[in-house]
Short mmCIF file of all heavy atoms in Angstrom, two decimals:
data_model
loop_
_atom_site.label_atom_id
_atom_site.label_comp_id
_atom_site.label_asym_id
_atom_site.label_seq_id
_atom_site.Cartn_x
_atom_site.Cartn_y
_atom_site.Cartn_z
N LYS S 1 9.88 -129.14 -82.91
CA LYS S 1 10.62 -127.97 -82.43
C LYS S 1 10.74 -128.01 -80.79
O LYS S 1 9.72 -128.35 -80.09
CB LYS S 1 9.95 -126.68 -82.78
CG LYS S 1 10.62 -125.44 -82.36
CD LYS S 1 9.97 -124.23 -83.12
CE LYS S 1 10.84 -123.01 -83.01
NZ LYS S 1 10.15 -121.84 -83.60
N GLY S 2 11.94 -127.96 -80.38
CA GLY S 2 12.17 -127.92 -78.91
C GLY S 2 11.87 -126.53 -78.33
O GLY S 2 12.52 -125.56 -78.69
N GLU S 3 10.80 -126.43 -77.49
CA GLU S 3 10.49 -125.08 -76.91
C GLU S 3 11.59 -124.46 -76.10
O GLU S 3 11.69 -123.26 -76.06
CB GLU S 3 9.23 -125.21 -76.15
CG GLU S 3 7.98 -125.61 -76.97
CD GLU S 3 7.60 -124.60 -78.06
OE1 GLU S 3 7.76 -123.40 -77.86
OE2 GLU S 3 7.26 -125.11 -79.07
N HIS S 4 12.44 -125.34 -75.54
CA HIS S 4 13.47 -124.82 -74.67
C HIS S 4 14.62 -124.15 -75.50
O HIS S 4 15.27 -123.21 -74.96
CB HIS S 4 14.16 -126.04 -73.88
CG HIS S 4 14.76 -127.05 -74.89
ND1 HIS S 4 14.04 -128.06 -75.56
CD2 HIS S 4 15.99 -127.30 -75.21
CE1 HIS S 4 14.81 -128.69 -76.32
NE2 HIS S 4 16.03 -128.27 -76.12
N SER S 5 14.73 -124.41 -76.69
CA SER S 5 15.80 -123.83 -77.57
C SER S 5 15.36 -123.18 -78.87
O SER S 5 16.15 -122.54 -79.44
CB SER S 5 16.87 -124.90 -77.82
OG SER S 5 16.34 -125.88 -78.65
N GLY S 6 14.15 -123.56 -79.25
CA GLY S 6 13.74 -123.16 -80.66
C GLY S 6 14.34 -124.02 -81.76
O GLY S 6 14.06 -123.81 -82.90
N ARG S 7 15.15 -124.94 -81.31
CA ARG S 7 15.82 -125.80 -82.26
C ARG S 7 14.98 -126.78 -82.83
O ARG S 7 13.97 -127.35 -82.20
CB ARG S 7 16.99 -126.49 -81.57
CG ARG S 7 17.79 -127.55 -82.33
CD ARG S 7 18.80 -128.12 -81.53
NE ARG S 7 19.26 -129.35 -82.16
CZ ARG S 7 19.99 -130.33 -81.66
NH1 ARG S 7 20.37 -130.18 -80.39
NH2 ARG S 7 20.32 -131.37 -82.30
N VAL S 8 15.05 -127.16 -84.11
CA VAL S 8 14.23 -128.21 -84.74
C VAL S 8 15.10 -129.46 -84.70
O VAL S 8 16.25 -129.55 -85.07
CB VAL S 8 13.87 -127.81 -86.19
CG1 VAL S 8 13.20 -129.01 -86.84
CG2 VAL S 8 13.07 -126.58 -86.16
N TYR S 9 14.42 -130.48 -84.16
CA TYR S 9 15.02 -131.92 -84.04
C TYR S 9 14.39 -132.76 -85.13
O TYR S 9 13.25 -132.54 -85.57
CB TYR S 9 14.70 -132.48 -82.72
CG TYR S 9 15.32 -131.80 -81.56
CD1 TYR S 9 14.66 -130.85 -80.84
CD2 TYR S 9 16.64 -132.18 -81.15
CE1 TYR S 9 15.29 -130.21 -79.78
CE2 TYR S 9 17.17 -131.64 -79.98
CZ TYR S 9 16.50 -130.59 -79.34
OH TYR S 9 17.17 -129.93 -78.32
N MET S 10 15.17 -133.81 -85.49
CA MET S 10 14.58 -134.78 -86.54
C MET S 10 14.60 -136.17 -85.89
O MET S 10 15.71 -136.69 -85.50
CB MET S 10 15.39 -134.80 -87.77
CG MET S 10 14.86 -135.62 -88.89
SD MET S 10 15.86 -135.55 -90.37
CE MET S 10 17.02 -136.78 -89.97
N VAL S 11 13.52 -136.88 -85.83
CA VAL S 11 13.47 -138.16 -85.37
C VAL S 11 13.92 -139.13 -86.50
O VAL S 11 13.31 -139.11 -87.54
CB VAL S 11 12.00 -138.59 -84.93
CG1 VAL S 11 11.90 -140.06 -84.53
CG2 VAL S 11 11.60 -137.72 -83.75
N GLU S 12 14.98 -139.90 -86.25
CA GLU S 12 15.43 -140.88 -87.22
C GLU S 12 14.57 -142.10 -87.25
O GLU S 12 14.25 -142.69 -88.28
CB GLU S 12 16.86 -141.23 -87.03
CG GLU S 12 17.87 -140.03 -87.31
CD GLU S 12 19.36 -140.47 -87.17
OE1 GLU S 12 19.56 -141.65 -86.77
OE2 GLU S 12 20.18 -139.71 -87.52
N LYS S 13 14.20 -142.54 -85.99
CA LYS S 13 13.34 -143.81 -85.83
C LYS S 13 12.87 -143.85 -84.38
O LYS S 13 13.53 -143.41 -83.48
CB LYS S 13 14.17 -144.99 -86.25
CG LYS S 13 15.39 -145.25 -85.36
CD LYS S 13 16.23 -146.37 -85.90
CE LYS S 13 17.60 -146.38 -85.18
NZ LYS S 13 18.66 -146.93 -86.05
N PHE S 14 11.61 -144.48 -84.38
CA PHE S 14 11.19 -144.86 -83.00
C PHE S 14 11.80 -146.15 -82.69
O PHE S 14 11.97 -147.05 -83.65
CB PHE S 14 9.70 -144.92 -83.18
CG PHE S 14 8.98 -143.66 -82.91
CD1 PHE S 14 8.48 -143.01 -84.09
CD2 PHE S 14 8.75 -143.01 -81.75
CE1 PHE S 14 7.89 -141.75 -84.02
CE2 PHE S 14 8.16 -141.81 -81.66
CZ PHE S 14 7.70 -141.16 -82.82
N LEU S 15 12.22 -146.42 -81.42
CA LEU S 15 12.80 -147.65 -81.03
C LEU S 15 11.67 -148.70 -80.80
O LEU S 15 10.49 -148.39 -80.72
CB LEU S 15 13.58 -147.44 -79.80
CG LEU S 15 14.65 -146.41 -79.96
CD1 LEU S 15 15.44 -146.26 -78.58
CD2 LEU S 15 15.65 -146.81 -81.01
N SER S 16 12.11 -150.03 -80.75
CA SER S 16 11.19 -151.12 -80.69
C SER S 16 11.59 -152.02 -79.55
O SER S 16 12.56 -151.95 -78.97
CB SER S 16 11.36 -151.87 -82.03
OG SER S 16 11.13 -151.06 -83.22
N ILE S 17 10.67 -153.10 -79.41
CA ILE S 17 10.99 -154.25 -78.66
C ILE S 17 11.35 -155.31 -79.65
O ILE S 17 10.50 -155.62 -80.56
CB ILE S 17 9.78 -154.67 -77.74
CG1 ILE S 17 9.49 -153.55 -76.65
CG2 ILE S 17 10.00 -155.97 -77.08
CD1 ILE S 17 8.25 -153.84 -75.91
N ILE S 18 12.51 -155.86 -79.61
CA ILE S 18 13.01 -156.81 -80.55
C ILE S 18 13.16 -158.16 -79.96
O ILE S 18 13.55 -158.25 -78.70
CB ILE S 18 14.39 -156.32 -81.09
CG1 ILE S 18 14.38 -154.90 -81.67
CG2 ILE S 18 15.02 -157.22 -82.07
CD1 ILE S 18 13.53 -154.78 -82.93
N LYS S 19 12.77 -159.24 -80.63
CA LYS S 19 12.99 -160.63 -80.13
C LYS S 19 14.49 -160.87 -80.09
O LYS S 19 15.29 -160.37 -80.92
CB LYS S 19 12.31 -161.59 -81.05
CG LYS S 19 10.80 -161.51 -81.01
CD LYS S 19 10.20 -162.52 -81.91
CE LYS S 19 10.57 -162.44 -83.40
NZ LYS S 19 9.84 -163.43 -84.16
N ALA S 20 14.93 -161.55 -79.07
CA ALA S 20 16.38 -161.89 -78.96
C ALA S 20 17.12 -162.42 -80.11
O ALA S 20 18.17 -162.01 -80.46
CB ALA S 20 16.60 -162.85 -77.72
N GLU S 21 16.43 -163.28 -81.00
CA GLU S 21 17.01 -163.80 -82.13
C GLU S 21 17.19 -162.77 -83.20
O GLU S 21 17.95 -163.05 -84.18
CB GLU S 21 16.20 -165.04 -82.60
CG GLU S 21 14.79 -164.64 -83.07
CD GLU S 21 13.82 -165.00 -81.94
OE1 GLU S 21 14.16 -165.02 -80.76
OE2 GLU S 21 12.60 -165.14 -82.34
N ASP S 22 16.67 -161.63 -83.10
CA ASP S 22 16.77 -160.51 -84.08
C ASP S 22 17.76 -159.47 -83.73
O ASP S 22 17.98 -158.52 -84.43
CB ASP S 22 15.45 -159.87 -84.41
CG ASP S 22 14.51 -160.85 -85.13
OD1 ASP S 22 14.93 -161.76 -85.84
OD2 ASP S 22 13.27 -160.64 -84.99
N TYR S 23 18.41 -159.59 -82.58
CA TYR S 23 19.37 -158.58 -82.10
C TYR S 23 20.48 -158.30 -83.10
O TYR S 23 20.87 -157.13 -83.26
CB TYR S 23 19.92 -158.92 -80.71
CG TYR S 23 19.08 -158.65 -79.54
CD1 TYR S 23 19.43 -159.15 -78.28
CD2 TYR S 23 17.97 -157.91 -79.61
CE1 TYR S 23 18.65 -158.98 -77.16
CE2 TYR S 23 17.12 -157.69 -78.57
CZ TYR S 23 17.48 -158.20 -77.28
OH TYR S 23 16.77 -157.99 -76.27
N ASN S 24 21.03 -159.28 -83.72
CA ASN S 24 22.18 -159.10 -84.58
C ASN S 24 21.79 -158.22 -85.82
O ASN S 24 22.58 -157.28 -86.18
CB ASN S 24 22.64 -160.42 -85.18
CG ASN S 24 23.43 -161.08 -84.07
OD1 ASN S 24 23.95 -160.57 -83.11
ND2 ASN S 24 23.64 -162.46 -84.25
N LYS S 25 20.67 -158.26 -86.31
CA LYS S 25 20.20 -157.49 -87.44
C LYS S 25 19.44 -156.27 -87.10
O LYS S 25 19.36 -155.28 -87.88
CB LYS S 25 19.48 -158.28 -88.52
CG LYS S 25 18.22 -158.85 -88.18
CD LYS S 25 17.48 -159.63 -89.27
CE LYS S 25 16.22 -160.18 -88.83
NZ LYS S 25 15.60 -161.11 -89.58
N LEU S 26 18.74 -156.24 -86.04
CA LEU S 26 17.92 -155.07 -85.62
C LEU S 26 18.30 -154.47 -84.22
O LEU S 26 17.44 -153.68 -83.74
CB LEU S 26 16.43 -155.58 -85.56
CG LEU S 26 15.81 -156.06 -86.95
CD1 LEU S 26 14.45 -156.77 -86.67
CD2 LEU S 26 15.81 -154.97 -87.90
N GLY S 27 19.36 -154.79 -83.69
CA GLY S 27 19.69 -154.32 -82.41
C GLY S 27 19.80 -152.84 -82.28
O GLY S 27 19.44 -152.25 -81.20
N ASP S 28 20.10 -152.11 -83.36
CA ASP S 28 20.18 -150.66 -83.28
C ASP S 28 18.80 -150.02 -83.19
O ASP S 28 18.67 -148.75 -82.94
CB ASP S 28 20.89 -150.14 -84.42
CG ASP S 28 20.12 -150.28 -85.77
OD1 ASP S 28 19.37 -151.29 -85.85
OD2 ASP S 28 20.37 -149.53 -86.66
N ARG S 29 17.69 -150.83 -83.15
CA ARG S 29 16.27 -150.30 -83.05
C ARG S 29 15.75 -150.72 -81.67
O ARG S 29 14.62 -150.33 -81.42
CB ARG S 29 15.47 -150.94 -84.08
CG ARG S 29 15.80 -150.54 -85.53
CD ARG S 29 14.82 -151.17 -86.52
NE ARG S 29 15.31 -150.80 -87.87
CZ ARG S 29 14.44 -150.85 -88.85
NH1 ARG S 29 13.17 -151.16 -88.68
NH2 ARG S 29 14.84 -150.53 -90.11
N ASP S 30 16.47 -151.49 -80.86
CA ASP S 30 15.96 -152.06 -79.73
C ASP S 30 16.06 -151.23 -78.51
O ASP S 30 17.24 -150.69 -78.28
CB ASP S 30 16.63 -153.41 -79.46
CG ASP S 30 15.97 -154.07 -78.22
OD1 ASP S 30 14.82 -154.59 -78.30
OD2 ASP S 30 16.73 -154.27 -77.23
N ILE S 31 15.09 -150.98 -77.72
CA ILE S 31 15.12 -150.18 -76.56
C ILE S 31 16.17 -150.65 -75.62
O ILE S 31 16.96 -149.94 -75.04
CB ILE S 31 13.68 -150.09 -75.90
CG1 ILE S 31 12.68 -149.33 -76.78
CG2 ILE S 31 13.79 -149.53 -74.44
CD1 ILE S 31 11.26 -149.51 -76.36
N ASP S 32 16.16 -151.97 -75.28
CA ASP S 32 17.13 -152.45 -74.36
C ASP S 32 18.59 -152.26 -74.83
O ASP S 32 19.42 -151.94 -73.95
CB ASP S 32 16.93 -154.01 -74.12
CG ASP S 32 15.66 -154.27 -73.21
OD1 ASP S 32 15.39 -153.52 -72.39
OD2 ASP S 32 15.02 -155.28 -73.51
N VAL S 33 18.86 -152.54 -76.04
CA VAL S 33 20.25 -152.33 -76.59
C VAL S 33 20.68 -150.88 -76.44
O VAL S 33 21.79 -150.64 -75.93
CB VAL S 33 20.37 -152.80 -78.06
CG1 VAL S 33 21.67 -152.39 -78.63
CG2 VAL S 33 20.13 -154.33 -78.13
N ILE S 34 19.82 -149.95 -76.82
CA ILE S 34 20.17 -148.53 -76.69
C ILE S 34 20.34 -148.15 -75.28
O ILE S 34 21.29 -147.42 -74.90
CB ILE S 34 19.09 -147.66 -77.42
CG1 ILE S 34 19.04 -148.03 -78.91
CG2 ILE S 34 19.37 -146.14 -77.14
CD1 ILE S 34 20.27 -147.91 -79.68
N HIS S 35 19.45 -148.59 -74.37
CA HIS S 35 19.60 -148.21 -72.98
C HIS S 35 20.89 -148.78 -72.37
O HIS S 35 21.57 -148.11 -71.66
CB HIS S 35 18.39 -148.71 -72.14
CG HIS S 35 18.31 -148.15 -70.76
ND1 HIS S 35 19.15 -148.53 -69.77
CD2 HIS S 35 17.59 -147.03 -70.27
CE1 HIS S 35 18.95 -147.77 -68.69
NE2 HIS S 35 18.00 -146.92 -68.93
N THR S 36 21.24 -149.94 -72.75
CA THR S 36 22.48 -150.59 -72.35
C THR S 36 23.66 -149.75 -72.74
O THR S 36 24.61 -149.52 -72.01
CB THR S 36 22.62 -152.06 -72.77
OG1 THR S 36 21.55 -152.71 -72.20
CG2 THR S 36 23.96 -152.65 -72.35
N GLN S 37 23.68 -149.19 -73.99
CA GLN S 37 24.70 -148.37 -74.52
C GLN S 37 24.85 -147.05 -73.83
O GLN S 37 25.96 -146.60 -73.53
CB GLN S 37 24.58 -148.14 -76.06
CG GLN S 37 24.64 -149.34 -76.91
CD GLN S 37 24.31 -149.09 -78.34
OE1 GLN S 37 23.75 -148.07 -78.72
NE2 GLN S 37 24.59 -150.09 -79.21
N LEU S 38 23.73 -146.53 -73.37
CA LEU S 38 23.69 -145.21 -72.74
C LEU S 38 23.83 -145.37 -71.16
O LEU S 38 24.32 -144.40 -70.53
CB LEU S 38 22.46 -144.40 -73.15
CG LEU S 38 22.22 -144.25 -74.62
CD1 LEU S 38 20.90 -143.52 -74.88
CD2 LEU S 38 23.40 -143.45 -75.25
N ASP S 39 23.38 -146.42 -70.64
CA ASP S 39 23.33 -146.82 -69.30
C ASP S 39 23.41 -145.70 -68.23
O ASP S 39 22.43 -144.99 -67.99
CB ASP S 39 24.42 -147.89 -69.11
CG ASP S 39 24.14 -148.67 -67.79
OD1 ASP S 39 22.98 -148.79 -67.38
OD2 ASP S 39 25.15 -149.23 -67.25
N GLU S 40 24.61 -145.53 -67.62
CA GLU S 40 24.58 -144.56 -66.53
C GLU S 40 24.53 -143.12 -66.94
O GLU S 40 24.59 -142.18 -66.14
CB GLU S 40 25.89 -144.77 -65.74
CG GLU S 40 27.22 -144.74 -66.35
CD GLU S 40 27.63 -146.09 -66.85
OE1 GLU S 40 27.19 -147.12 -66.43
OE2 GLU S 40 28.44 -146.07 -67.91
N ARG S 41 24.54 -142.79 -68.30
CA ARG S 41 24.33 -141.44 -68.65
C ARG S 41 22.83 -141.09 -68.74
O ARG S 41 22.49 -139.96 -68.94
CB ARG S 41 24.96 -141.30 -70.05
CG ARG S 41 26.50 -141.56 -69.96
CD ARG S 41 27.14 -141.34 -71.38
NE ARG S 41 27.05 -139.95 -71.73
CZ ARG S 41 27.06 -139.60 -73.03
NH1 ARG S 41 26.88 -140.43 -73.90
NH2 ARG S 41 26.96 -138.32 -73.25
N LEU S 42 21.90 -142.14 -68.56
CA LEU S 42 20.46 -141.81 -68.51
C LEU S 42 19.91 -141.72 -67.15
O LEU S 42 18.71 -141.44 -66.96
CB LEU S 42 19.78 -143.09 -69.21
CG LEU S 42 19.81 -143.10 -70.69
CD1 LEU S 42 19.07 -144.31 -71.24
CD2 LEU S 42 19.11 -141.78 -71.34
N SER S 43 20.72 -141.73 -66.05
CA SER S 43 20.19 -141.67 -64.77
C SER S 43 21.14 -140.83 -63.84
O SER S 43 22.35 -140.98 -64.06
CB SER S 43 19.93 -143.06 -64.17
OG SER S 43 19.47 -142.98 -62.83
N ALA S 44 20.56 -140.13 -62.89
CA ALA S 44 21.49 -139.46 -61.95
C ALA S 44 21.53 -140.34 -60.71
O ALA S 44 22.26 -139.92 -59.66
CB ALA S 44 20.83 -138.17 -61.63
N ASN S 45 20.90 -141.46 -60.53
CA ASN S 45 20.79 -142.21 -59.43
C ASN S 45 21.64 -143.48 -59.54
O ASN S 45 21.20 -144.51 -60.25
CB ASN S 45 19.34 -142.64 -59.20
CG ASN S 45 19.15 -143.46 -57.89
OD1 ASN S 45 20.06 -143.91 -57.27
ND2 ASN S 45 17.86 -143.66 -57.50
N GLU S 46 22.84 -143.57 -58.88
CA GLU S 46 23.73 -144.75 -59.07
C GLU S 46 23.15 -145.97 -58.44
O GLU S 46 23.50 -147.05 -58.81
CB GLU S 46 25.05 -144.34 -58.22
CG GLU S 46 25.81 -143.32 -58.92
CD GLU S 46 27.19 -143.06 -58.14
OE1 GLU S 46 27.88 -144.09 -57.92
OE2 GLU S 46 27.57 -141.95 -57.93
#
């Protein structure tokens, strides 16, 4: 439960550190892949 809103959130999965050779099949679980997709939306500092 998010105290800020009272909303209940659901964790789909914890992210991982994936070996480079596994990116094709497990990339959607990799911290680096996800951060790259979100990139400048995750920071206020250009």
Side-chain angles (χ1 to χ4, degrees):
K1 190 172 187 177
E3 296 299 321
H4 61 280
S5 65
R7 177 179 164 197
V8 174
Y9 294 91
M10 185 179 86
V11 175
E12 289 185 354
K13 61 189 165 205
F14 282 99
L15 301 178
S16 307
I17 294 174
I18 305 294
K19 295 185 293 184
E21 60 265 22
D22 292 333
Y23 280 168
N24 287 339
K25 65 180 179 188
L26 298 172
D28 66 331
R29 297 179 182 205
D30 184 65
I31 293 168
D32 286 326
V33 169
I34 298 304
H35 193 281
T36 299
Q37 291 171 352
L38 304 174
D39 200 23
E40 57 271 337
R41 297 180 71 213
L42 280 176
S43 180
N45 182 351
E46 291 182 49

